[in-house]
Amino acid sequence: MAEAAAQESAFETAQSQLRSVAKLLDLDPGIVEVLAHPKRELTVNFPVRMDDGSFRVFTGYRVHHNEARGPVKGGIRYSPLVSLDEVRALAMWMTWKCAVVNLPYGGAKGGVIVDPRSLTAGELERLTRRYASEIDILIGPNMDIPAPDMGTDARVMAWIMDTYSMHRDYSVPGVVTGKPVEIGGSLGRYEATGRGVLYVAMEACRQRGISLEGATVAVQGFGNVGSVAARLLAHAGAKVVAVSDSRGGVYNPNGLDSDSLYDHRRSGGLLVSHPRSDFPHEDISNAELLELPVDILIPAAVEGQITEANAGRLRAGMVIEAANGPTTASADAVLAERGLYVVPDILANAGGVIVSYFEWVQDLQSFFWEENEVNQRLQRILASAFQQVTAVAEERGLRLREAAYVLALRRVVEAIRVRGIYP
Ligand code: NAD
């Protein structure tokens, strides 16, 4: 308990990031208070019938942080560690993320306290449909458009889309993104966040004057984001030397076979169960992975992994934050002091929400694009956002994180200003 209390919570990190950038921008304290709190929060406790006939009650959340720039958008997380505090932080980060890449959205997030791996497919479907019914009052293509996050995937999005549509008696594909392509999903959405990490890494390497080809990479978290990022970075010529999931990781200074690991993960396997004889490696813990001497470290698991305790021991040349909030505010201060180059989460992992936006646009128009077009537009938006953030950083002598926040906050505050405070 004492340890948990001492640790900085995700929402504390998010609030302290907001307040420090608000100072830089000399924002009206009233507006800062508006932004420091989510606009609305829904907690739902709901029963699900289990396969053995018993009922279990689950708790879920949906939080809208700010909708000044448009309908709100954000993923749904299934994890035993979900909490209202975490969902609030993730919703706030979505507001900044959408603003920094200039999408016409505000921020939201949702979650259910559950280990999805402990449920059967039937139980997961019933849980998802009931949760979707409970948050139905908040979601919709003009209001709040959920997407996948940790522990959820295209199948879960299909159930949410179907449940919402059943309640209305017609199909509403635009209510969620990250759906299967058969029901209005976008080509390229599955890979979008990891692909975005690749594009951001290309920009970062260009800016730092280092070659991505041959650069060594360690990736913490081998899920949707981490596994795609590792594979695409390897295809781009980088040398992925270490990857990990919740049970630990594998390391080979000469490079791992990212394709084989990717296929293994897509077939549902954890890294610890990968057929060991396939590739030479040594086992490594998550803590060890973070401290490897690599050119690029990519945290792509959960928040709060780079802490005040280990920030001083990082030996990476740069950090690209694929996860949301992987660095606590106090750890970030240590990284700043050390002058470590960090591409912040709200920019580095924005590829997912950018292609989600493309999916929503395609659904609203019932007109679908080719994958090439999706990827090219994704790269254009990310490269342009990266350059805008860099320009703010140079102009004001800031790190990329502060610069990204400055850009995002300016846009959100301007939207609030021109709309005015109701009534
Ligand atoms: P996922 O559930 O597909 O994968 C998560 C991975 O992290 C798994 O390999 C899991 O084993 C591992 N993991 C979990 N806890 C861990 C721990 N304590 N230490 C090490 N590894 C751990 O989730 P995802 O969709 O890949 O999301 C990963 C991160 O990226 C999250 O922070 C999420 O919010 C963020 N993100 C996801 C998307 C998206 O489109 N899916 C978009 C933007 C940001």
Side-chain angles (χ1 to χ4, degrees):
M1 272 307 273
E3 201 182 312
Q7 222 181 358
E8 181 179 302
S9 82
F11 195 48
E12 280 166 358
T13 301
Q15 288 203 317
S16 99
Q17 289 164 339
L18 165 67
R19 292 188 194 282
S20 66
V21 178
K23 261 192 223 139
L24 278 178
L25 286 174
D26 202 15
L27 289 184
D28 177 329
I31 293 289
V32 180
E33 279 316 297
V34 171
L35 294 171
H37 300 95
K39 178 185 168 94
R40 49 173 85 91
E41 308 176 341
L42 178 65
T43 299
V44 292
N45 300 296
F46 55 94
V48 176
R49 187 166 37 78
M50 310 308 282
D51 283 356
D52 66 4
S54 67
F55 292 94
R56 267 178 67 190
V57 173
F58 292 87
T59 299
Y61 308 99
R62 188 73 189 165
V63 171
H64 292 179
H65 173 253
N66 183 280
E67 56 189 20
R69 288 172 47 86
V72 290
K73 184 120 194 52
I76 290 173
R77 178 174 289 195
Y78 286 177
S79 154
L81 302 178
V82 161
S83 66
L84 182 54
D85 177 279
E86 180 188 65
V87 177
R88 283 175 177 149
L90 290 161
M92 189 191 287
W93 288 327
M94 283 306 297
T95 301
W96 314 138
K97 192 183 304 183
C98 293
V100 83
V101 293
N102 217 358
L103 303 180
Y105 288 137
K109 204 78 182 192
V112 178
I113 305 172
V114 60
D115 176 3
R117 283 179 179 263
S118 71
L119 302 186
T120 64
E123 289 167 346
L124 193 66
E125 177 172 354
R126 290 193 292 280
L127 174 136
T128 298
R129 287 183 179 280
R130 180 64 189 249
Y131 170 67
S133 304
E134 297 288 346
I135 64 164
D136 183 291
I137 50 170
L138 288 190
I139 64 175
N142 296 317
M143 187 177 183
D144 171 5
I145 307 109
D149 190 71
M150 279 181 59
T152 58
D153 54 16
R155 184 177 57 155
V156 170
M157 295 305 117
W159 291 327
I160 297 177
M161 178 271 196
D162 185 69
T163 303
Y164 186 88
S165 299
M166 285 298 125
H167 292 172
R168 279 149 191 86
D169 289 331
Y170 55 88
S171 287
V172 190
V175 64
V176 286
T177 57
K179 304 176 289 293
V181 282
E182 294 80 359
I183 55 169
S186 178
L187 294 172
R189 175 60 186 88
Y190 175 78
E191 286 197 336
T193 310
R195 182 174 287 282
V197 172
L198 165 70
Y199 293 152
V200 163
M202 285 161 60
E203 293 299 322
C205 285
R206 196 170 302 138
Q207 196 189 55
R208 304 295 288 167
I210 67 166
S211 167
L212 182 60
E213 195 151 344
T216 52
V217 179
V219 182
Q220 185 206 33
F222 205 64
N224 172 304
V225 179
S227 67
V228 171
R231 180 165 166 269
L232 294 180
L233 280 159
H235 289 187
K239 197 199 283 181
V240 178
V241 296
V243 297
S244 67
D245 59 28
S246 55
R247 306 273 292 278
V250 287
Y251 173 53
N252 182 342
N254 299 314
L256 296 164
D257 181 348
S258 305
D259 281 344
S260 151
L261 291 166
Y262 177 84
D263 292 342
H264 176 66
R265 187 255 159 190
R266 280 217 81 175
S267 62
L270 283 163
L271 291 170
V272 284
S273 66
H274 191 276
R276 293 290 151 143
S277 55
D278 265 27
F279 64 101
H281 72 279
E282 48 185 276
D283 291 331
I284 190 170
S285 71
N286 267 295
E288 287 165 340
L289 180 142
L290 294 173
E291 296 175 21
L292 286 174
V294 287
D295 296 313
I296 307 176
L297 172 65
I298 305 184
V302 280
E303 53 273 11
Q305 295 301 296
I306 301 174
T307 62
E308 210 174 350
N310 64 10
R313 296 198 297 267
L314 260 52
R315 286 183 289 166
M318 70 168 83
V319 178
I320 298 184
E321 294 183 337
N324 284 309
T327 310
T328 64
S330 42
D332 202 39
V334 177
L335 301 186
E337 204 169 296
R338 292 184 54 198
L340 192 60
Y341 183 87
V342 180
V343 184
D345 49 3
I346 59 170
L347 178 61
N349 69 31
V353 73
I354 293 169
V355 177
S356 273
Y357 166 62
F358 297 161
E359 179 174 332
W360 179 73
V361 167
Q362 293 171 76
D363 290 337
L364 295 183
Q365 300 183 341
S366 298
F367 180 72
F368 291 88
W369 312 349
E370 287 175 9
E371 187 161 355
N372 239 351
E373 185 175 356
V374 170
N375 293 343
Q376 281 168 9
R377 282 179 184 268
L378 169 64
Q379 186 164 18
R380 274 211 298 279
I381 292 183
L382 275 174
S384 152
F386 195 97
Q387 279 148 25
Q388 289 172 37
V389 170
T390 304
V392 173
E394 282 168 4
E395 196 182 291
R396 303 189 57 139
L398 299 172
R399 298 163 71 226
L400 293 185
R401 188 185 315 280
E402 281 80 35
Y405 268 75
V406 163
L407 193 61
L409 259 143
R410 266 195 209 142
R411 288 179 176 154
V412 176
V413 169
E414 187 55 14
I416 294 173
R417 194 190 65 76
V418 295
R419 284 180 66 151
I421 302 291
Y422 176 87

